[in-house]
């Protein structure tokens, strides 16, 4: 191959930030995308919530029964 | 109007409570009315019905004393228990890991809420946190809690007294028996009686009805008899090819930790039911579980070609794009979800993050504001955690600090927030506080490498080389390709060798 003159001259910066030394530092935890919930999961959670509320309501309505009359 | 007709109409419109009320009145007048009895059974089942394919809750006992697994030490890439680094897997340094060592998914289903813990110690320790309560066995899990609640709500006791039923009589009448089975299985959660009825039912049809075989398999699955379950399902497939049957079959194989066999069966199902989305999304889920993201995304895209409103596929692809440095593309997918009518805190949080990293700053804060207004108490902490990241990105350290603090006040087991607070304290020069935060973080979440590495780095600077070495080792255990941890470990080993 014939010697060709390079078209572009290599240019290295002489001043300013010429190189960067990678210093090990502490790391952050990454941001977290939240997973969406499936329909059945949402339904299950809803059912559980409703059941809990129902039980709570019943406990409030007749506390004697739930505590077997013991206070 | 005829009350029975009205009850049927309520049933069709899924107003199960009203339907059941009318049926109760009718049954008081005539307790032997079979049509009303069946309708009430179906209405009560409908109230608590959850698709059995999706319903999968593993307790600690099932997971750790699991002797169903075929190979205890499986080859890499053939087991869901030791997810390898498959093709296209994103580094842990970019995509956060769940406790099981798998990247966080874009979508949660009942079985995937928290991953399988590796050791007994981990299993017992982690579920104690307030937000990931896992039942000790699935026998004490949601099934039973819901069952008892449904009985409490009925002042006259249960609708059907199972102990008094003569199953053989009912099994001979398919119309009654099928509704009764679903009632026992879904509403009463009494698997043993359901199994008895199903066994009699299949006998009554001379073992020719595929439906009863699938129901038998469902009972066997709940009882943990997976091989019997598979046998019933295969026999049922001989009578009739059903998508549901294939899905149950693959679910059982996944439980036996044979993901590749499960994929084979999904593909067999796809040959019969070409382009069915539940089958191809099943394959994608397994690949995701095996950490082979390239394949997973490919199958999710197949799903979208057939059904472009498939929330799971869109969410998973979006998550993949976000963590492979393409937040703009992820943003498009999440916007699609918004257009489709998904409107919840999780989606707005994800939109906010994507907007921020795609440099659309005007939308970021409004998205987060909306997410906060929609969130329940579990999600609020995660949203504040992400707001903290936005604050870090714009250099507002005070806001970041406060956001992480709010995260902790909403969920004081949030390990990531502890770690990030530690980093912020270190920047302020409060070394003791930083140490405390890092320690809190790695005690709560030993599967994350960040707090281990940070603790190692800090101890190294303070001259506590031994604990630095231990921590760096733990960091490498958690994330074996982390260059900085390995570098630190090498330095320390060199240092110790000189002594």
């Amino acid at each position: 191959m014939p010697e060709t003159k390079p078209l572009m001259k290599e240019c290295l910066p002489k001043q300013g930030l010429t190189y960067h030394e990678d210093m090990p530092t502490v790391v952050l935890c990454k941001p977290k995308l939240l997973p969406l919930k499936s329909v059945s999961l949402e339904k299950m959670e809803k059912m559980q919530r409703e059941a809990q509320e129902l039980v709570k309501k019943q406990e409030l309505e007749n506390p004697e029964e739930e505590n077997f009359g013991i206070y | 109007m005829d009350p029975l007709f009205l009850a049927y109409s309520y049933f069709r419109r899924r107003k199960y409570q009203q339907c059941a009320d009318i049926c109760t009145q009718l049954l008081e007048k005539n307790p032997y009315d079979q049509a009303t009895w069946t309708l009430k059974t179906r209405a009560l089942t409908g109230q608590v019905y959850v698709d059995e394919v999706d319903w999968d809750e593993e307790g600690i006992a099932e997971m750790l004393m699991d002797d169903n697994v075929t190979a205890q030490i499986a080859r890499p890439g053939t087991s869901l228990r030791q997810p390898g680094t498959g093709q296209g897997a994103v580094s842990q340094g970019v995509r956060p890991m769940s406790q099981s060592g798998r990247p966080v998914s874009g979508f949660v289903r009942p079985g995937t809420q928290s991953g399988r813990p590796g050791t007994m110690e981990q299993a017992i320790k982690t579920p104690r946190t307030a937000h990931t309560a896992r039942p000790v066995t699935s026998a004490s899990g949601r099934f039973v809690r819901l069952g008892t609640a449904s009985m409490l709500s009925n002042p006259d006791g249960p609708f059907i007294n199972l102990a008094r039923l003569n199953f053989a009589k009912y099994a001979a009448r398919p119309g009654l028996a099928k509704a009764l089975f679903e009632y026992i299985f879904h509403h009463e959660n009494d698997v043993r009686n359901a199994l008895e009825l199903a066994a009699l039912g299949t006998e009554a049809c001379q073992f020719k009805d595929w439906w009863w075989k699938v129901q038998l398999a469902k009972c066997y699955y709940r009882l943990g008899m997976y091989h019997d379950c598979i046998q019933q399902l295969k026999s049922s497939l001989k009578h009739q090819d059903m998508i549901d049957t294939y899905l149950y079959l693959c679910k059982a194989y996944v439980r036996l930790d044979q993901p590749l066999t499960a994929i084979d069966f999904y593909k067999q199902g796809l040959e019969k039911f070409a382009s069915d989305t539940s089958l191809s999304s099943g394959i994608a889920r397994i690949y995701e579980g095996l950490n082979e993201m390239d394949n997973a995304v490919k199958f999710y895209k197949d799903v979208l070609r057939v059904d472009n409103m498939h929330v799971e596929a869109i969410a998973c692809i979006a998550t993949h794009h976000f963590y492979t440095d393409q937040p703009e593309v992820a943003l498009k997918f999440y916007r699609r979800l918004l257009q489709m009518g998904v409107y919840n805190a999780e989606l707005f949080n994800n939109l906010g993050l994507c907007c921020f990293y795609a440099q659309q700053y005007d939308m970021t804060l409004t998205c987060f504001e909306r997410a906060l207004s929609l969130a329940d108490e579990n999600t609020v902490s995660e949203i504040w955690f992400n707001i903290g990241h936005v604050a870090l990105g714009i250099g507002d350290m005070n806001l970041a600090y406060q956001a992480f603090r709010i995260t902790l006040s909403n969920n004081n087991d949030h390990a990531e927030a502890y770690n990030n607070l530690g980093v912020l304290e270190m920047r302020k020069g409060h070394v003791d506080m930083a140490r405390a935060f890092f320690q809190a973080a790695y005690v709560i979440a030993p599967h994350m490498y960040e707090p281990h590495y940070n603790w190692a780095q800090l101890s190294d600077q303070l001259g506590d080389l031994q604990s630095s070495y231990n921590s760096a080792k733990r960091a490498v255990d958690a994330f074996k390709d982390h260059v900085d941890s390995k570098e630190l470990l090498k330095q320390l080993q060199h240092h110790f060798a000189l002594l």
Side-chain angles (χ1 to χ4, degrees):
Chain A
M1 252 183 45
E3 285 275 311
T4 49
K5 236 171 86 179
L7 287 171
M8 257 186 280
K9 227 179 96 192
E10 189 183 5
C11 167
L12 287 172
K14 293 274 189 310
Q15 33 172 274
L17 189 67
T18 51
Y19 76 100
H20 173 73
E21 192 182 2
D22 189 24
M23 286 291 287
T25 47
V26 284
V27 282
L28 286 164
C29 281
K30 309 300 169 291
K32 232 161 100 186
L33 284 186
L34 295 181
L36 304 180
K37 283 178 187 164
S38 77
V39 177
S40 23
L41 188 63
E42 270 181 12
K43 182 170 179 187
M44 256 160 58
E45 286 182 350
K46 197 177 134 233
M47 279 176 359
Q48 205 169 352
R49 241 189 344 262
E50 278 169 3
Q52 272 171 354
E53 272 165 23
L54 204 71
V55 172
K56 258 185 217 158
K57 217 173 78 185
Q58 285 188 343
E59 275 177 11
L60 281 179
E61 274 169 11
N62 35 5
E64 298 91 357
E65 248 174 57
E66 288 304 317
N67 297 329
F68 305 102
I70 302 166
Y71 282 93
Chain B
M1 200 187 293
D2 179 25
L4 185 62
F5 179 81
L6 186 62
Y8 269 113
S9 167
Y10 276 133
F11 181 75
R12 270 200 305 278
R13 284 180 282 154
R14 302 189 182 195
K15 296 184 173 172
Y16 298 120
Q17 190 56 51
Q18 283 106 315
C19 173
D21 289 344
I22 294 180
C23 289
T24 316
Q25 286 167 15
L26 286 175
L27 284 172
E28 270 168 16
K29 282 181 210 154
N30 178 11
Y32 299 105
D33 188 348
Q34 287 186 6
T36 317
W37 188 84
T38 317
L39 185 61
K40 186 176 176 188
T41 319
R42 288 177 65 196
L44 290 178
T45 312
Q47 282 178 337
V48 290
Y49 183 80
V50 175
D51 192 357
E52 185 68 11
V53 176
D54 252 5
W55 182 300
D56 198 4
E57 201 170 36
E58 276 190 301
I60 296 174
E62 272 93 52
M63 271 184 307
L64 290 166
M65 295 158 198
D66 183 6
D67 49 0
N68 298 300
V69 173
T70 313
Q72 286 298 332
I73 302 167
R75 282 178 294 142
T78 63
S79 164
L80 289 166
R81 305 183 120 199
Q82 302 156 316
T85 43
Q87 280 174 316
V90 186
S91 147
Q92 201 178 341
V94 182
R95 186 164 176 168
M97 284 282 161
S98 64
Q99 192 202 338
S100 58
R102 241 171 252 133
V104 289
S105 171
F107 197 71
V108 278
R109 289 172 303 277
T112 54
Q113 272 173 301
S114 40
R116 272 172 168 275
T119 63
M120 187 66 130
E121 191 189 0
Q122 242 181 19
I124 294 174
K125 202 157 62 181
T126 36
R128 291 281 168 82
T129 58
H131 290 273
T132 55
R134 180 192 277 284
V136 175
T137 75
S138 60
S140 68
R142 279 206 185 100
F143 300 130
V144 178
R145 291 202 293 271
L146 285 175
T148 41
S150 64
M151 268 176 238
L152 266 181
S153 65
N154 205 339
D156 311 327
F159 166 48
I160 299 172
N161 193 345
L162 293 180
R164 286 214 200 143
L165 284 189
N166 179 6
F167 283 143
K169 198 181 88 189
Y170 284 92
R173 299 182 193 172
L176 285 183
K178 288 184 176 174
L180 179 61
F181 173 85
E182 293 209 313
Y183 175 81
I184 301 175
F185 190 81
H186 290 287
H187 190 270
E188 299 284 309
N189 285 311
D190 187 344
V191 183
R192 248 166 252 165
N193 277 324
L195 181 65
E196 200 185 323
L197 180 62
L200 291 169
T202 187
E203 213 179 297
C205 319
Q206 284 89 43
F207 306 98
K208 276 180 193 154
D209 191 346
W210 66 270
W211 193 84
W212 280 117
K213 291 187 178 175
V214 174
Q215 307 314 311
L216 270 177
K218 271 158 72 172
C219 296
Y220 283 134
Y221 185 90
R222 283 248 188 123
L223 292 172
M225 299 156 76
Y226 302 115
H227 290 285
D228 294 297
C229 166
I230 288 170
Q231 213 182 351
Q232 289 294 339
L233 290 169
K234 282 182 177 165
S235 152
S236 153
L237 279 178
K238 278 180 202 147
H239 294 291
Q240 176 94 32
D241 275 319
M242 292 299 284
I243 297 174
D244 243 16
T245 318
Y246 281 108
L247 294 177
Y248 287 128
L249 195 58
C250 297
K251 192 178 153 189
Y253 273 116
V254 167
R255 190 47 88 80
L256 291 180
D257 196 24
Q258 300 206 318
L260 300 185
T261 322
I263 289 178
D264 278 348
F265 274 103
Y266 275 128
K267 285 184 177 163
Q268 271 184 35
L270 277 176
E271 280 168 18
K272 304 266 167 50
F273 302 96
S275 63
D276 179 77
T277 50
S278 50
L279 291 168
S280 30
S281 64
I283 300 182
R285 277 175 211 168
I286 291 184
Y287 277 127
E288 202 180 31
L290 289 171
N291 230 350
E292 295 188 19
M293 292 321 262
D294 279 354
N295 275 330
V297 168
K298 192 178 137 242
F299 277 95
Y300 277 130
K301 282 188 178 161
D302 278 353
V303 172
L304 284 189
R305 245 170 241 131
V306 181
D307 173 10
N308 59 10
M309 305 265 283
H310 201 276
V311 178
E312 177 178 3
I314 298 178
C316 287
I317 293 177
T319 313
H320 178 73
H321 281 301
F322 182 81
Y323 286 118
T324 46
D325 254 352
Q326 293 170 311
E328 302 86 355
V329 186
L331 185 58
K332 271 190 173 175
F333 279 95
Y334 281 126
R335 259 175 46 198
R336 164 88 187 155
L337 283 178
L338 195 64
Q339 282 171 353
M340 277 164 44
V342 180
Y343 193 85
N344 54 24
E346 286 88 359
L347 181 62
F348 276 106
N349 168 70
N350 296 352
L351 276 170
L353 270 185
C354 287
C355 283
F356 182 71
Y357 287 99
Q359 303 187 3
Q360 304 199 4
Y361 300 122
D362 49 343
M363 284 299 291
T364 310
L365 288 180
T366 38
C367 279
F368 278 116
E369 268 170 9
R370 193 156 300 185
L372 281 176
S373 71
L374 290 170
D376 60 0
E377 68 264 36
N378 297 339
T379 337
V380 162
S381 59
E382 299 288 349
I383 296 170
W384 276 110
F385 174 73
N386 288 325
I387 294 176
H389 268 284
V390 172
L392 281 179
I394 55 175
D396 190 343
M397 291 304 148
N398 281 328
L399 178 60
Y401 193 86
Q402 278 169 6
F404 291 135
R405 277 288 191 183
I406 296 174
T407 308
L408 288 183
S409 71
N410 281 300
N411 171 10
N412 58 5
D413 295 318
H414 204 286
E416 288 98 336
Y418 276 117
N419 177 64
N420 289 2
L421 276 175
V423 173
L424 289 181
E425 288 290 358
M426 223 171 126
R427 274 200 203 162
K428 286 187 191 167
H430 302 162
V431 179
D432 286 337
M433 282 289 268
R435 264 172 81 98
F437 278 129
F438 291 145
Q439 194 172 15
Y442 78 67
V443 168
I444 294 170
H447 63 279
M448 295 193 318
Y449 77 95
E450 289 97 342
H452 291 307
Y453 170 70
N454 290 342
W455 172 267
Q457 196 68 42
L458 190 58
S459 306
D460 183 51
Q461 282 173 20
L462 294 177
D464 184 359
L465 298 186
Q466 186 58 47
S467 56
S468 170
Y469 179 77
N470 291 340
S471 258
K473 256 173 101 170
R474 284 197 298 263
V476 174
D477 281 344
F479 177 22
K480 65 177 185 305
D481 295 328
H482 190 229
V483 179
D484 283 351
S485 299
K486 284 202 283 200
E487 198 70 31
L488 181 63
L489 208 57
K490 220 160 77 186
Q491 261 179 38
L492 288 168
Q493 271 164 351
H494 180 70
H495 195 84
F496 289 146
L498 284 180
L499 289 175

